[in-house]
C-alpha cells in the first residue's frame, strides 16, 4: 500500500502548530538569556558557523571579493566574513529577546534618526514608499516603525515552510504592522495603502530573474534586480524614503534618509532603470559603511545579462 509522505489537512495543521510552538519556545528561551550570554553565544556560534558551514562561507567570501576585492585585503574580507556570521546569530538572539520584552523596553534599545525626512514626504499626501534591505536586524523594522508611530505595511515573499511563515507573520504584525504577500493582487493592496497615506516598505536588495527586473550596477558588478519599487513610484508619485536599521554598540538606530528624487525623462524604460539604479546605490552605500551588516550570503550576482543563443545543451552520456 502506498502512503503519502507529506501529511495534509488536519494532520499538517497539527504538525505546523507543534513546529511553530517549538520555534517560538526556542527563540524566547534564547531571548531570556542574560545579555552577556547572548553576546558570547553569538560570537561562539558565528565563529563556528564560519568555520564549519563552508558552502555559505564560500558564498560570502566570493561576494565580498566581488565587491571589495580591489580595495581590501584578504585578511579584511576574512574578518568581515566572520563578523557577518556573528551578526546573523546576534539577529536570532535579538529576535528572541524582542518576543520577551514590552514596547517600553524595546524603546530603550531603538533610536530613530531622520524622522523629519519621513514626515516631510508623508505630508505630500501620497503615502510613502520606504526603501530598505536585508540589513542589520531587518526583523526589528516593524517595532522601530511602531515606536516612530508610522502606519506600516511590509511587502514580502511568503516562506515555503508553513510553520515558519506563521511565525514570521505573527512576529512582524505584533506591533501593528500589516504584511502584504507578493502574490497576485499585491499591487492593488499597495496602491490602496498609499492612497490611505500609509507607509509601504520594500526590501530591494535581492537578485531577480531577467523577466522580473532590470540590469543595473551593484558594487560595479552588473546584476538583475527587482524593479517593483521604481514602477510603483512612477505609477503613483509616492515619495521614496530610505530606512535602514543599523546595529550599534548599545542597540539599534532606525535611520530615515532624505527623499530620493523621482527620475522622469519621458522614456519609461530608462526611467525604471535609472530609479532602480538610484535605489541600489543607496543600499550599496550602507553596505559599504557597515560591511558586516548586509546579507552577503545571498547570491546577488547569480544571473548574467545574457544567454547564449542558440542554447547549447549538454549531450547525454
Amino acid at each position: 500500500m502506498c502512503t503519502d509522505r507529506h501529511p495534509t489537512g488536519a494532520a499538517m495543521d497539527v504538525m505546523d502548530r507543534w513546529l511553530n510552538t517549538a520555534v517560538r519556545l526556542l527563540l524566547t528561551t534564547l531571548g531570556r538569556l542574560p545579555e552577556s550570554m547572548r553576546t558570547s553565544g553569538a560570537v561562539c556560534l558565528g565563529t563556528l558557523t564560519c568555520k564549519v558551514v563552508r558552502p555559505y562561507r564560500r558564498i560570502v567570501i566570493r561576494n565580498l571579493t566581488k565587491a571589495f576585492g580591489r580595495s581590501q585585503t584578504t585578511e579584511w574580507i576574512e574578518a568581515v566574513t566572520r563578523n557577518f556570521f556573528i551578526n546573523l546569530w546576534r539577529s536570532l538572539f535579538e529576535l528572541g529577546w524582542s518576543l520577551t520584552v514590552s514596547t517600553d523596553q524595546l524603546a530603550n534599545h531603538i533610536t530613530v534618526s531622520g524622522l523629519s525626512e519621513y514626515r516631510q514626504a508623508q505630508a505630500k499626501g501620497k503615502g510613502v514608499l520606504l526603501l530598505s534591505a536585508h540589513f542589520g536586524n531587518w526583523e526589528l523594522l516593524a517595532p522601530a516603525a511602531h515606536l516612530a508611530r508610522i502606519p506600516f505595511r511590509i511587502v514580502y515573499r511568503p516562506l515555503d515552510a508553513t510553520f515558519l511563515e506563521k511565525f514570521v507573520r505573527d512576529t512582524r504584525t505584533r506591533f501593528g504592522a500589516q504584511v502584504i504577500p507578493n502574490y497576485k493582487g499585491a499591487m492593488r493592496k499597495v496602491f490602496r495603502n498609499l492612497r490611505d497615506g500609509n507607509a509601504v516598505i520594500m526590501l530591494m536588495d535581492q537578485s531577480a530573474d531577467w523577466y522580473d527586473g532590470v540590469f543595473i550596477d551593484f558594487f560595479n558588478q552588473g546584476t538583475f534586480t527587482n524593479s517593483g519599487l521604481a514602477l510603483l513610484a512612477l505609477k503613483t508619485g509616492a515619495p521614496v524614503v530610505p530606512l535602514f536599521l543599523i546595529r550599534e554598540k548599545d542597540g539599534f538606530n532606525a535611520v530615515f534618509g532624505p527623499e530620493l528624487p523621482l527620475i522622469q525623462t519621458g522614456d519609461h524604460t530608462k526611467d525604471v532603470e535609472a530609479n532602480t539604479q538610484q535605489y541600489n546605490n543607496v543600499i550599496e552605500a550602507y553596505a559599504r559603511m557597515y560591511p558586516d551588516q548586509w546579507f552577503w550570503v545571498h547570491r546577488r550576482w547569480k544571473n548574467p545579462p545574457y544567454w547564449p543563443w542558440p542554447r547549447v545543451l549538454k549531450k547525454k552520456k
Side-chain angles (χ1 to χ4, degrees):
M1 181 175 66
C2 180
T3 59
D4 191 348
R5 295 175 57 191
H6 301 282
T8 58
M12 177 64 80
D13 292 339
V14 170
M15 181 181 292
D16 285 340
R17 285 198 295 270
W18 275 102
L19 290 172
N20 179 271
T21 302
V23 169
R24 185 174 295 276
L25 179 61
L26 174 61
L27 284 177
T28 52
T29 300
L30 295 177
R32 288 193 175 97
L33 293 173
E35 184 177 357
S36 59
M37 290 186 66
R38 297 199 304 270
T39 301
S40 60
V43 172
C44 292
L45 290 169
T47 303
L48 181 64
T49 302
C50 184
K51 291 181 178 179
V52 174
V53 189
R54 292 186 178 275
Y56 289 110
R57 180 177 182 273
R58 284 195 292 268
I59 292 173
V60 174
I61 289 178
R62 187 185 307 124
N63 284 342
L64 283 168
T65 302
K66 274 181 171 289
F68 296 102
R70 295 179 181 178
S71 59
Q72 297 293 347
T73 64
T74 302
E75 291 76 17
W76 183 90
I77 290 173
E78 292 278 356
V80 172
T81 299
R82 176 177 176 270
N83 289 335
F84 163 77
F85 285 108
I86 290 172
N87 280 331
L88 279 187
W89 280 101
R90 279 187 178 138
S91 296
L92 195 65
F93 280 102
E94 290 157 358
L95 179 58
W97 167 79
S98 73
L99 299 175
T100 68
V101 298
S102 65
T103 305
D104 291 338
Q105 289 173 297
L106 270 174
N108 292 330
H109 293 80
I110 299 177
T111 58
V112 179
S113 302
L115 187 56
S116 61
E117 303 287 355
Y118 168 79
R119 298 297 183 202
Q120 291 174 16
Q122 199 271 340
K124 295 183 177 181
K126 297 181 179 181
V128 179
L129 290 165
L130 293 173
L131 163 68
S132 195
H134 294 84
F135 186 91
N137 191 337
W138 60 91
E139 291 297 343
L140 297 184
L141 280 169
H146 173 76
L147 294 171
R149 298 181 179 179
I150 295 174
F152 197 56
R153 308 293 182 264
I154 305 170
V155 178
Y156 80 112
R157 177 190 177 277
L159 300 176
D160 296 329
T162 309
F163 70 95
L164 282 178
E165 166 65 11
K166 177 172 172 31
F167 173 78
V168 168
R169 287 175 67 100
D170 290 347
T171 302
R172 291 176 176 175
T173 58
R174 177 187 170 203
F175 293 93
Q178 295 182 19
V179 293
I180 303 175
N182 60 356
Y183 290 149
K184 184 178 180 180
M187 296 294 277
R188 289 196 300 271
K189 293 180 181 179
V190 171
F191 289 147
R192 184 168 64 249
N193 276 282
L194 291 174
R195 286 196 301 269
D196 292 342
N198 295 320
V200 178
I201 188 167
M202 301 178 70
L203 278 62
M204 299 300 298
D205 56 340
Q206 300 291 280
S207 178
D209 292 316
W210 66 268
Y211 49 81
D212 281 333
V214 294
F215 195 71
I216 52 91
D217 284 338
F218 189 65
F219 282 94
N220 299 316
Q221 303 282 334
T223 181
F224 278 100
T225 193
N226 192 294
S227 58
L229 183 59
L231 291 169
L232 282 167
L234 289 166
K235 179 73 173 179
T236 66
V240 176
V241 174
L243 171 60
F244 289 81
L245 192 69
I246 301 170
R247 177 183 287 105
E248 298 183 335
K249 186 176 180 180
D250 55 352
F252 294 92
N253 188 10
V255 180
F256 290 91
E259 177 186 340
L260 300 174
L262 183 63
I263 301 172
Q264 290 181 295
T265 65
D267 186 322
H268 181 72
T269 299
K270 289 184 178 180
D271 290 346
V272 171
E273 293 174 349
N275 283 290
T276 302
Q277 181 68 67
Q278 179 182 207
Y279 305 152
N280 277 264
N281 290 344
V282 174
I283 296 171
E284 178 182 326
Y286 276 92
R288 286 185 180 275
M289 287 188 288
Y290 307 94
D292 57 353
Q293 295 197 36
W294 187 61
F295 197 63
W296 292 101
V297 78
H298 175 65
R299 294 174 61 200
R300 188 67 174 85
W301 295 277
K302 65 181 179 180
N303 293 322
Y306 58 84
W307 193 272
W309 188 264
R311 184 176 179 183
V312 178
L313 300 176
K314 293 183 178 180
K315 295 182 179 180
K316 294 182 178 180
K317 295 182 179 180

mmCIF file of all heavy atoms in Angstrom, residues 201-222:
data_model
loop_
_atom_site.group_PDB
_atom_site.id
_atom_site.type_symbol
_atom_site.label_atom_id
_atom_site.label_comp_id
_atom_site.label_asym_id
_atom_site.label_seq_id
_atom_site.Cartn_x
_atom_site.Cartn_y
_atom_site.Cartn_z
ATOM 1 N N ILE A 201 6.895 49.391 3.038
ATOM 2 C CA ILE A 201 8.328 49.125 2.969
ATOM 3 C C ILE A 201 8.600 47.939 2.055
ATOM 4 O O ILE A 201 7.873 46.953 2.040
ATOM 5 C CB ILE A 201 8.925 48.865 4.371
ATOM 6 C CG1 ILE A 201 10.453 48.790 4.282
ATOM 7 C CG2 ILE A 201 8.359 47.598 4.999
ATOM 8 C CD1 ILE A 201 11.143 48.857 5.614
ATOM 9 N N MET A 202 9.677 48.071 1.272
ATOM 10 C CA MET A 202 10.088 47.007 0.363
ATOM 11 C C MET A 202 11.587 46.803 0.509
ATOM 12 O O MET A 202 12.366 47.764 0.486
ATOM 13 C CB MET A 202 9.730 47.376 -1.084
ATOM 14 C CG MET A 202 8.241 47.617 -1.288
ATOM 15 S SD MET A 202 7.815 48.122 -2.984
ATOM 16 C CE MET A 202 8.114 46.589 -3.871
ATOM 17 N N LEU A 203 12.003 45.553 0.681
ATOM 18 C CA LEU A 203 13.414 45.189 0.763
ATOM 19 C C LEU A 203 13.894 44.870 -0.648
ATOM 20 O O LEU A 203 13.491 43.867 -1.238
ATOM 21 C CB LEU A 203 13.612 43.996 1.698
ATOM 22 C CG LEU A 203 13.675 44.305 3.202
ATOM 23 C CD1 LEU A 203 12.374 44.930 3.693
ATOM 24 C CD2 LEU A 203 13.977 43.054 4.010
ATOM 25 N N MET A 204 14.748 45.730 -1.181
ATOM 26 C CA MET A 204 15.040 45.721 -2.613
ATOM 27 C C MET A 204 16.474 45.289 -2.941
ATOM 28 O O MET A 204 17.072 45.784 -3.895
ATOM 29 C CB MET A 204 14.789 47.121 -3.186
ATOM 30 C CG MET A 204 13.356 47.603 -3.054
ATOM 31 S SD MET A 204 12.188 46.520 -3.901
ATOM 32 C CE MET A 204 12.743 46.672 -5.587
ATOM 33 N N ASP A 205 17.026 44.372 -2.160
ATOM 34 C CA ASP A 205 18.419 44.018 -2.365
ATOM 35 C C ASP A 205 18.615 42.594 -2.872
ATOM 36 O O ASP A 205 19.730 42.074 -2.834
ATOM 37 C CB ASP A 205 19.196 44.194 -1.053
ATOM 38 C CG ASP A 205 18.590 43.377 0.091
ATOM 39 O OD1 ASP A 205 17.415 43.003 0.001
ATOM 40 O OD2 ASP A 205 19.308 43.126 1.075
ATOM 41 N N GLN A 206 17.570 41.963 -3.356
ATOM 42 C CA GLN A 206 17.684 40.586 -3.813
ATOM 43 C C GLN A 206 17.845 40.516 -5.331
ATOM 44 O O GLN A 206 17.400 41.392 -6.069
ATOM 45 C CB GLN A 206 16.432 39.797 -3.402
ATOM 46 C CG GLN A 206 16.208 39.765 -1.889
ATOM 47 C CD GLN A 206 17.239 38.954 -1.156
ATOM 48 O OE1 GLN A 206 17.165 37.734 -1.104
ATOM 49 N NE2 GLN A 206 18.223 39.617 -0.565
ATOM 50 N N SER A 207 18.481 39.441 -5.763
ATOM 51 C CA SER A 207 18.618 39.204 -7.199
ATOM 52 C C SER A 207 17.257 38.876 -7.799
ATOM 53 O O SER A 207 16.353 38.400 -7.105
ATOM 54 C CB SER A 207 19.587 38.050 -7.443
ATOM 55 O OG SER A 207 19.700 37.764 -8.812
ATOM 56 N N ALA A 208 17.094 39.146 -9.081
ATOM 57 C CA ALA A 208 15.838 38.852 -9.781
ATOM 58 C C ALA A 208 16.161 38.194 -11.119
ATOM 59 O O ALA A 208 17.256 38.345 -11.664
ATOM 60 C CB ALA A 208 15.027 40.130 -10.008
ATOM 61 N N ASP A 209 15.198 37.447 -11.636
ATOM 62 C CA ASP A 209 15.336 36.913 -12.982
ATOM 63 C C ASP A 209 15.184 38.046 -13.996
ATOM 64 O O ASP A 209 14.580 39.085 -13.708
ATOM 65 C CB ASP A 209 14.288 35.838 -13.235
ATOM 66 C CG ASP A 209 14.538 34.581 -12.394
ATOM 67 O OD1 ASP A 209 15.702 34.155 -12.320
ATOM 68 O OD2 ASP A 209 13.573 34.051 -11.814
ATOM 69 N N TRP A 210 15.698 37.826 -15.192
ATOM 70 C CA TRP A 210 15.703 38.898 -16.187
ATOM 71 C C TRP A 210 14.308 39.399 -16.514
ATOM 72 O O TRP A 210 14.113 40.582 -16.810
ATOM 73 C CB TRP A 210 16.413 38.428 -17.457
ATOM 74 C CG TRP A 210 15.692 37.309 -18.180
ATOM 75 C CD1 TRP A 210 15.881 35.982 -18.012
ATOM 76 C CD2 TRP A 210 14.663 37.454 -19.164
ATOM 77 N NE1 TRP A 210 15.041 35.262 -18.829
ATOM 78 C CE2 TRP A 210 14.279 36.146 -19.557
ATOM 79 C CE3 TRP A 210 14.027 38.539 -19.764
ATOM 80 C CZ2 TRP A 210 13.286 35.916 -20.501
ATOM 81 C CZ3 TRP A 210 13.052 38.319 -20.714
ATOM 82 C CH2 TRP A 210 12.690 37.018 -21.070
ATOM 83 N N TYR A 211 13.306 38.518 -16.438
ATOM 84 C CA TYR A 211 11.951 38.929 -16.795
ATOM 85 C C TYR A 211 11.232 39.618 -15.642
ATOM 86 O O TYR A 211 10.127 40.133 -15.805
ATOM 87 C CB TYR A 211 11.131 37.718 -17.267
ATOM 88 C CG TYR A 211 11.207 36.517 -16.344
ATOM 89 C CD1 TYR A 211 10.423 36.434 -15.198
ATOM 90 C CD2 TYR A 211 12.085 35.476 -16.624
ATOM 91 C CE1 TYR A 211 10.513 35.341 -14.350
ATOM 92 C CE2 TYR A 211 12.177 34.374 -15.784
ATOM 93 C CZ TYR A 211 11.384 34.311 -14.651
ATOM 94 O OH TYR A 211 11.483 33.235 -13.812
ATOM 95 N N ASP A 212 11.838 39.644 -14.445
ATOM 96 C CA ASP A 212 11.219 40.294 -13.292
ATOM 97 C C ASP A 212 11.911 41.592 -12.900
ATOM 98 O O ASP A 212 11.471 42.267 -11.970
ATOM 99 C CB ASP A 212 11.242 39.360 -12.072
ATOM 100 C CG ASP A 212 10.141 38.317 -12.123
ATOM 101 O OD1 ASP A 212 9.107 38.599 -12.751
ATOM 102 O OD2 ASP A 212 10.322 37.233 -11.542
ATOM 103 N N GLY A 213 13.002 41.934 -13.570
ATOM 104 C CA GLY A 213 13.748 43.101 -13.117
ATOM 105 C C GLY A 213 14.488 43.794 -14.243
ATOM 106 O O GLY A 213 14.212 43.591 -15.421
ATOM 107 N N VAL A 214 15.439 44.621 -13.838
ATOM 108 C CA VAL A 214 16.268 45.360 -14.789
ATOM 109 C C VAL A 214 17.727 45.132 -14.415
ATOM 110 O O VAL A 214 18.052 44.783 -13.280
ATOM 111 C CB VAL A 214 15.942 46.865 -14.782
ATOM 112 C CG1 VAL A 214 14.535 47.104 -15.305
ATOM 113 C CG2 VAL A 214 16.093 47.451 -13.380
ATOM 114 N N PHE A 215 18.597 45.356 -15.386
ATOM 115 C CA PHE A 215 20.027 45.122 -15.191
ATOM 116 C C PHE A 215 20.683 46.422 -14.759
ATOM 117 O O PHE A 215 20.624 47.432 -15.466
ATOM 118 C CB PHE A 215 20.647 44.608 -16.486
ATOM 119 C CG PHE A 215 22.000 44.000 -16.301
ATOM 120 C CD1 PHE A 215 22.147 42.780 -15.658
ATOM 121 C CD2 PHE A 215 23.128 44.643 -16.778
ATOM 122 C CE1 PHE A 215 23.402 42.205 -15.489
ATOM 123 C CE2 PHE A 215 24.382 44.080 -16.618
ATOM 124 C CZ PHE A 215 24.522 42.859 -15.969
ATOM 125 N N ILE A 216 21.315 46.402 -13.561
ATOM 126 C CA ILE A 216 21.951 47.603 -13.027
ATOM 127 C C ILE A 216 23.320 47.227 -12.456
ATOM 128 O O ILE A 216 23.711 46.063 -12.448
ATOM 129 C CB ILE A 216 21.065 48.267 -11.942
ATOM 130 C CG1 ILE A 216 20.645 47.255 -10.857
ATOM 131 C CG2 ILE A 216 19.816 48.872 -12.560
ATOM 132 C CD1 ILE A 216 21.551 47.149 -9.688
ATOM 133 N N ASP A 217 24.049 48.233 -11.970
ATOM 134 C CA ASP A 217 25.343 48.004 -11.330
ATOM 135 C C ASP A 217 25.165 47.982 -9.816
ATOM 136 O O ASP A 217 24.463 48.822 -9.245
ATOM 137 C CB ASP A 217 26.333 49.113 -11.694
ATOM 138 C CG ASP A 217 26.882 48.954 -13.103
ATOM 139 O OD1 ASP A 217 26.838 47.821 -13.615
ATOM 140 O OD2 ASP A 217 27.326 49.957 -13.684
ATOM 141 N N PHE A 218 25.825 47.003 -9.194
ATOM 142 C CA PHE A 218 25.861 46.930 -7.736
ATOM 143 C C PHE A 218 27.286 46.584 -7.354
ATOM 144 O O PHE A 218 27.783 45.522 -7.722
ATOM 145 C CB PHE A 218 24.878 45.862 -7.241
ATOM 146 C CG PHE A 218 24.679 45.850 -5.746
ATOM 147 C CD1 PHE A 218 24.104 46.930 -5.111
ATOM 148 C CD2 PHE A 218 25.056 44.748 -4.996
ATOM 149 C CE1 PHE A 218 23.909 46.933 -3.737
ATOM 150 C CE2 PHE A 218 24.859 44.732 -3.626
ATOM 151 C CZ PHE A 218 24.289 45.821 -2.986
ATOM 152 N N PHE A 219 27.973 47.504 -6.679
ATOM 153 C CA PHE A 219 29.400 47.354 -6.410
ATOM 154 C C PHE A 219 30.184 47.158 -7.714
ATOM 155 O O PHE A 219 31.094 46.337 -7.795
ATOM 156 C CB PHE A 219 29.665 46.184 -5.457
ATOM 157 C CG PHE A 219 29.385 46.499 -4.010
ATOM 158 C CD1 PHE A 219 28.144 46.202 -3.459
ATOM 159 C CD2 PHE A 219 30.354 47.090 -3.215
ATOM 160 C CE1 PHE A 219 27.882 46.495 -2.129
ATOM 161 C CE2 PHE A 219 30.087 47.381 -1.880
ATOM 162 C CZ PHE A 219 28.863 47.093 -1.327
ATOM 163 N N ASN A 220 29.805 47.941 -8.726
ATOM 164 C CA ASN A 220 30.486 47.908 -10.025
ATOM 165 C C ASN A 220 30.406 46.549 -10.710
ATOM 166 O O ASN A 220 31.218 46.241 -11.589
ATOM 167 C CB ASN A 220 31.957 48.326 -9.875
ATOM 168 C CG ASN A 220 32.114 49.730 -9.354
ATOM 169 O OD1 ASN A 220 31.422 50.643 -9.797
ATOM 170 N ND2 ASN A 220 33.017 49.914 -8.397
ATOM 171 N N GLN A 221 29.426 45.756 -10.310
ATOM 172 C CA GLN A 221 29.186 44.452 -10.937
ATOM 173 C C GLN A 221 27.752 44.445 -11.463
ATOM 174 O O GLN A 221 26.816 44.784 -10.733
ATOM 175 C CB GLN A 221 29.369 43.319 -9.925
ATOM 176 C CG GLN A 221 30.720 43.288 -9.251
ATOM 177 C CD GLN A 221 31.801 42.703 -10.124
ATOM 178 O OE1 GLN A 221 31.532 41.904 -11.016
ATOM 179 N NE2 GLN A 221 33.046 43.096 -9.873
ATOM 180 N N GLY A 222 27.564 44.063 -12.722
ATOM 181 C CA GLY A 222 26.228 44.032 -13.288
ATOM 182 C C GLY A 222 25.375 42.938 -12.670
ATOM 183 O O GLY A 222 25.845 41.817 -12.424
#
